[in-house]
Amino acid sequence: MAGQEGKTIAIVGGGFSGSLLAFHLLNRCGPQDRILLIERNRRFGLGLAYSTGNSNHLLNVRAGNMSAFSERPSHFVEWLRGLQAEELAQLAEPPGPTGFVPRGLFGRYIQHLLGDRIWREGRSRQLDLVTDEAVALHRRDRGWEVELAMGRRLAVDEAVLAIGNFPPAGSTPGYHGDPWDANALAGLAPDRAVLTLGTGLTMIDTVISLLDRGHRGPIYALSRRGLLPRVHLRTQGGALPAPWVFEEAPRGTSLVKLLRLVRATCREAEAQGRGWRVVIDGLRPHTQRLWQELSLRERARFLRHLRPWWDVHRHRTAPQIMERILEARDSGQLRLLTGRIASKDRRPGGFAVTVAPRGGLPPLSLVVDRIIDCSGPRTDCTKIDQPLLRQLLREGRIRPDPLRLGIEVEPDGAVVGRNGRAATDLFAIGPITKGTFWEIVAVPDIRVTCEQLAARLIPVPAAQVTARAS
Ligand SMILES: Cc1cc2nc3c(=O)[nH]c(=O)nc-3n(C[C@H](O)[C@H](O)[C@H](O)COP(=O)(O)OP(=O)(O)OC[C@H]3O[C@@H](n4cnc5c(N)ncnc54)[C@H](O)[C@@H]3O)c2cc1C
């Protein structure tokens, strides 16, 4: 138990990060402690990534790497195997560690974990699920007061920002800034032309949705370099491919040296018949440290020159999804364009767009009914129009990290204010901490920070932590 009086902890954001943190806190808290999980969308446990209802939107990570618990890597696969027969029948293949399952199913897994802990383990008195938007955090003598959109105010000792991926830009008629909005494709005639801005994983989601609804018209996908995410290999047998083990831990002293090392190791892995993917996966345990070792200048150089290449090799897509994308490309329906928009004019029912291709080729004119921004979540918190962020920035409680990847935090998640000092009672987890960790957007990394932050917020001896994961 966390002390005789107990404490109240608010978690703002009930996506994967906030829900998993709540789960771990519940394992640690005593009868006097309270956890408030505040989510504005009623989608506890799902967040942006796992609320898709399209069963062809698959996880881009193999099921064997998606356990909510770093020390029980097979937990998600075991949960999948325990599904009802009719649910199992809807999966393309029997659940196993190397497979890719629908993202919505992963959301259900997180909801199940949380629900199980609350109801089966009788923890409902410790956890309040609050459906509302947190619009401000006011300083109290001790702790914070969370102001909700409906006007309620909740006094807490500590607060955690788990507000996740910032929403994409706003929408105007025919232009959809939010590709995950259920209305992004609504009313689109199946033979009309669509332009996606971005050629990464979000574009892939959008194209899969278009194909699923029988779209026959042309789909243009535009990005500066026109790079498609690479694909995970189909595996033989049921074992996960073993990541490369570096003989000597790579060091982040120089970006150029690091790049040379990665390239040389990829060549070695290729020569051994293991392929480059195991090297990228083998970097994973080192990536956060490497990022922190690199100077700010080197990190900025990485973002400027290497990031697009890193992203497509690191964030790969499931083979069955890529097959559909390549089929659409080979049939001529999907055209990948390299360049930028030179002009965009509204016309009845859509847009006339001029694309300036890379490499000085002649401009390309397109007429499209709809433009969908698939460039991914935004990261510059100073440009996000959300009441909570605006208030925290205005009052200097948070500040953007120097590269505008999110907000600045210490390695333990403590939020750094405008005065450069780390708070002792305000923390952040998940994608908004990317400036400090870089490799922190996916489940295998977020789950570790949830475990560590829970241990810091409610430090109890290991024997008192509820032993069972579910
Ligand atoms: C489309 C997509 C697919 C992905 N696929 C994978 C994958 O296959 N495998 C993988 O490992 N990772 C994947 N990821 C990475 C993903 O970011 C993480 O896995 C994880 O979902 C991040 O969770 P989160 O809770 O931090 O953020 P989010 O999922 O964004 O959740 C944040 C929540 O906070 C709420 N919120 C925000 N502000 C407030 C406020 N002021 N008051 C109340 N509530 C608020 C939001 O409504 C939201 O529900 C994917 C990401 C995306 C965007």
Side-chain angles (χ1 to χ4, degrees), residues 442-465:
V443 165
D445 310 289
I446 295 176
R447 68 187 177 195
V448 176
T449 50
C450 288
E451 289 159 5
Q452 290 169 344
L453 185 56
R456 164 163 185 168
L457 291 173
I458 305 188
V460 292
Q464 284 180 32
V465 178

Side-chain angles (χ1 to χ4, degrees), residues 12-17 38-41 47-50 59-61 66 103 132-134 162-165 180 388 431 441-444 446:
V12 180
F16 170 73
S17 304
I38 304 167
E39 168 57 52
R40 61 181 174 205
N41 279 339
L48 182 60
Y50 309 113
L59 293 173
N60 53 41
V61 175
M66 286 294 288
R103 292 209 300 268
D132 205 340
E133 177 171 2
I163 53 181
N165 300 288
W180 297 288
L388 178 63
V441 296
V443 165
I446 295 176

Side-chain angles (χ1 to χ4, degrees), residues 14-31:
F16 170 73
S17 304
S19 299
L20 190 62
L21 177 65
F23 177 92
H24 286 298
L25 289 174
L26 283 178
N27 283 351
R28 298 177 153 267
C29 65

Side-chain angles (χ1 to χ4, degrees), residues 175-177 179-180 194-208 210 219-229 308 311-312 325 334-341 353 355 366 370-377:
Y175 178 94
H176 284 267
W180 297 288
V194 178
L195 170 65
T196 73
L197 306 180
T199 56
L201 290 170
T202 309
M203 176 280 286
I204 288 182
D205 265 5
T206 301
V207 173
I208 292 293
L210 283 164
I219 306 169
Y220 304 102
L222 171 70
S223 70
R224 284 282 167 101
R225 291 181 174 77
L227 296 174
L228 266 184
D311 280 351
V312 295
I325 296 295
L334 171 64
R335 270 187 71 186
L336 296 171
L337 306 175
T338 305
R340 60 182 176 79
I341 291 190
V353 178
V355 172
L366 307 173
R370 200 156 294 191
I371 300 178
I372 302 176
D373 187 345
C374 295
S375 55

Side-chain angles (χ1 to χ4, degrees), residues 23 27 69 72 75 113 116-117 120-121 466-470:
F23 177 92
N27 283 351
F69 308 103
R72 280 191 63 185
H75 191 265
L113 286 178
D116 209 46
R117 184 68 8 132
R120 197 155 65 93
E121 308 263 328
T466 308
R468 262 177 333 116
S470 79

